[in-house]
Amino acid sequence: MTQHAPVVPVTLDLRAFRRVPRSTDECVALWERLEPAVLTLDPMAGPRVRFDLGDEGEVGVWFLAPATAPRPLGPATHFAVRGVLEPPEIRHACTTCRAAGTTTYAPYKCPGCDDGQRVGRACEAHAVFLDGSLRATCPSHTPACRCGTKAVAYCGGPHCRTRKAWCETHLRRHPGDPTAAYCEDCHAERFPACEQERCTGSGYIRCEHRTLSAMKPCGRRICAEHARRWQVYGPYNRGLALCTRHHQQLSSTPPEGLIDVILAGTVARSGRGRSATRRRVPLPRISTVRHILINTRGTVLDMEAVDRLFTTVEQGLRGRTPRDTNLSTALELLAGHRASRREDIARFREQHVEGRGHFDRLVQELRRGGRHELADAVRFSDFRPRSQILFVRVPDHLQGLFKGKGGSNIKQLGQRVGVNIQVERG
């Protein structure tokens, strides 16, 4: 059996060699120049050897498996070049440095330096980053503001979306973060001014006042401090946000008008009309509407009267033509509201009888205590059997006398009558 001579694997280190082979033939030619000197070496004596080739630089030879190499090396020894270490080459050179006669690695692209073949590059020293974006340019192609001045930041607002850069003169800083800035238009959109004069707050909230005949809301901008929430949907849902003018108008709006505003606001939140939002809420029960009318206008109506208000509004809407989506949604809400109205009326009648009994005992306690003026002035308003709350109405000039210092009188009356007595607002 013929035994083949072992192959000695090596790696060429050409990092200090100025004439790096660009083809297989050139690599073989270089090895043929090195091989006579390599054959004189002992791989175990030094696995890495360097040869000085004069002006051409140095070439290193690395024995990858010196222990398996034959000793001594001879003309019959076969070598296998397993790898070549070449000097680093800068493929992405900085355009600015190249114009100055130097070559520097440039990791960043500069679109303005496009020479028609490839996009220009910028090195660490010449890369320019503006606030608001990770987009880089060279110093010569820094974006300019619309006024011609070099920009200092990109605007990330709803109109610009980091596509436009602006100078310091045309930027407005974020009210809570001085490191962020926006152009005038985006700043006005993102941080609108409150309707109140000399208010420095941002008007994040829009007035939701609207009617079924004009579903477009008022839309005045209000900050959180000056916004007025009309809590028509109970304590666990956001009420209608109103500007100062529309909030002040509530007390002079007739009951039919208030029902119209509540219905229009509910349509807008129902998720079915053109003005729908994500905050879906049902129409408030007429037991709640009754207290809304008391607190808003000081108008005291029984449940049947409040029900008639809704019925009148519904009849008026049915007579309107043509019908749009908002009108159809309003009629659907009113149709679904009828059952709860009937329940509230029946419950009110039952509560009215029980509440009247507590109210009569209250009047008796007032007379027994010699407070005849209060006994003649106090009026029954409502009774909540579940929470045992008796609502009464007392003239404004007698409320202090009725409640007593720190509410002491009204607490004593409640203990004697056996219920929690509260004065109805309005």
Side-chain angles (χ1 to χ4, degrees):
M1 179 180 292
T2 303
Q3 293 184 350
H4 297 283
V7 175
V8 180
V10 296
T11 292
L12 298 182
D13 184 358
L14 306 181
R15 291 176 294 181
F17 189 57
R18 298 184 180 88
R19 296 177 58 188
V20 178
R22 296 301 180 186
S23 66
T24 303
D25 293 339
E26 291 182 3
C27 188
V28 171
L30 175 61
W31 177 255
E32 290 176 349
R33 294 173 58 189
L34 298 174
E35 188 174 17
V38 173
L39 293 175
T40 64
L41 301 175
D42 180 2
M44 294 297 295
R48 297 190 181 187
V49 183
R50 304 194 71 82
F51 297 96
D52 187 357
L53 299 184
D55 295 339
E56 295 177 285
E58 292 183 348
V59 175
V61 177
W62 298 3
F63 291 98
L64 301 181
T68 62
R71 288 187 295 274
L73 300 175
T77 304
H78 297 282
F79 294 91
V81 178
R82 302 296 191 192
V84 177
L85 296 179
E86 296 182 357
E89 179 183 353
I90 298 179
R91 295 186 178 180
H92 300 300
C94 175
T95 308
T96 305
C97 292
R98 188 167 55 197
T102 59
T103 303
T104 310
Y105 173 64
Y108 307 108
K109 293 182 179 180
C110 174
C113 293
D114 190 348
D115 59 4
Q117 296 180 348
R118 62 172 61 183
V119 177
R121 314 287 293 201
C123 65
E124 293 282 356
H126 293 118
V128 177
F129 292 91
L130 302 187
D131 291 341
S133 175
L134 295 178
R135 195 178 304 133
T137 63
C138 71
S140 301
H141 296 107
T142 302
C145 178
R146 65 181 180 185
C147 65
T149 309
K150 276 197 173 183
V152 297
Y154 285 96
C155 172
H159 300 300
C160 296
R161 300 186 181 277
T162 69
R163 291 191 294 265
K164 296 181 182 179
W166 303 82
C167 67
E168 191 65 50
T169 304
H170 292 102
L171 287 173
R172 291 189 62 186
R173 295 290 164 180
H174 188 294
D177 182 6
T179 62
Y182 304 87
C183 68
E184 293 284 346
D185 293 339
C186 290
H187 190 278
E189 177 69 21
R190 193 158 188 178
F191 308 102
C194 176
E195 66 159 2
Q196 294 289 330
E197 294 183 5
R198 294 185 294 276
C199 176
T200 58
S202 296
Y204 291 108
I205 304 172
R206 295 179 184 268
C207 176
E208 297 180 82
H209 185 278
R210 71 188 86 203
T211 61
L212 286 171
S213 59
M215 280 299 293
K216 184 178 180 180
C218 164
R220 281 191 179 89
R221 296 285 194 160
I222 332 155
C223 69
E225 180 182 355
H226 293 111
R228 300 292 183 266
R229 288 283 179 185
W230 194 25
Q231 293 298 124
V232 295
Y233 302 115
Y236 302 110
N237 288 299
R238 282 187 178 181
L240 296 175
L242 300 177
C243 63
T244 303
R245 181 170 70 90
H246 283 119
H247 187 266
Q248 293 174 346
Q249 286 181 355
L250 293 178
S251 59
S252 59
T253 303
E256 297 83 356
L258 296 179
I259 300 296
D260 189 10
V261 174
I262 294 173
L263 182 56
T266 308
V267 168
R269 295 189 180 189
S270 67
R272 287 169 286 185
R274 286 194 301 269
S275 305
T277 69
R278 296 180 181 178
R279 299 166 293 177
R280 300 181 180 182
V281 291
L283 277 173
R285 302 183 72 99
I286 59 173
S287 56
T288 302
V289 175
R290 181 174 182 269
H291 286 278
I292 291 172
L293 295 176
I294 294 173
N295 296 333
T296 303
R297 287 182 44 85
T299 301
V300 182
L301 301 175
D302 56 29
M303 290 295 187
E304 289 84 354
V306 179
D307 177 59
R308 285 195 294 273
L309 287 175
F310 279 91
T311 302
T312 301
V313 170
E314 184 176 1
Q315 291 174 348
L317 294 179
R318 291 191 180 280
R320 284 172 50 179
T321 55
R323 294 183 181 177
D324 59 11
T325 305
N326 290 318
L327 181 58
S328 299
T329 303
L331 290 172
E332 290 177 15
L333 290 171
L334 289 169
H337 195 234
R338 292 192 205 112
S340 68
R341 299 207 301 266
R342 289 193 294 268
E343 293 174 2
D344 284 351
I345 291 173
R347 188 181 300 110
F348 179 75
R349 288 171 179 168
E350 296 174 2
Q351 296 172 359
H352 191 83
V353 174
E354 183 180 354
R356 275 292 180 181
H358 294 303
F359 178 75
D360 291 341
R361 286 195 295 275
L362 170 63
V363 174
Q364 292 174 7
E365 287 294 333
L366 290 173
R367 294 193 185 282
R368 189 178 295 117
R371 290 177 283 182
H372 299 285
E373 184 180 9
L374 285 174
D376 294 335
V378 68
R379 294 289 182 269
F380 174 77
S381 179
D382 194 7
F383 178 66
R384 303 287 178 85
R386 182 175 299 178
S387 55
Q388 288 292 294
I389 298 177
L390 175 65
F391 288 94
V392 297
R393 300 191 307 278
V394 181
D396 293 342
H397 68 282
L398 294 177
Q399 287 190 12
L401 180 62
F402 181 78
K403 295 178 181 179
K405 186 176 181 180
S408 57
N409 291 345
I410 197 171
K411 289 180 182 177
Q412 292 178 1
L413 287 170
Q415 292 172 356
R416 293 172 185 171
V417 175
V419 293
N420 182 10
I421 301 174
Q422 292 189 16
V423 177
E424 190 83 72
R425 290 184 296 172

